Amino acid sequence: DLVAAARDAGPHTVIAIGPPDLAGVALLASRTMVDGRPTAYVCTNETCAAGVCDAAALVGALREPVSGS
């Protein structure tokens, strides 16, 4: 599951878990669920990759740097 995959994220990683747009949690602002499923976003500085919904995709996203646009 996404939480187990996120535990292996490594040092210097911040993980915020909660419903989309949770009041008072800036990291969740504008982060929506994909197809109504729990969704993880990997962000570097202020740039986030597309949301992923499965553990394997999250592990892959954590290994790749997020590129800015």
Side-chain angles (χ1 to χ4, degrees):
D1 82 332
L2 292 175
V3 174
R7 286 189 182 119
D8 294 329
H12 310 292
T13 301
V14 175
I15 299 171
I17 298 173
D21 290 321
L22 181 64
V25 182
L27 290 174
L28 298 177
S30 301
R31 306 287 177 253
T32 59
M33 295 173 71
V34 174
D35 296 329
R37 297 172 56 202
T39 306
Y41 289 85
V42 176
C43 307
T44 300
N45 297 321
E46 295 181 23
T47 302
C48 297
V52 296
C53 296
D54 65 78
L58 177 56
V59 169
L62 288 168
R63 290 183 180 151
E64 295 295 321
V66 176
S67 60
S69 49

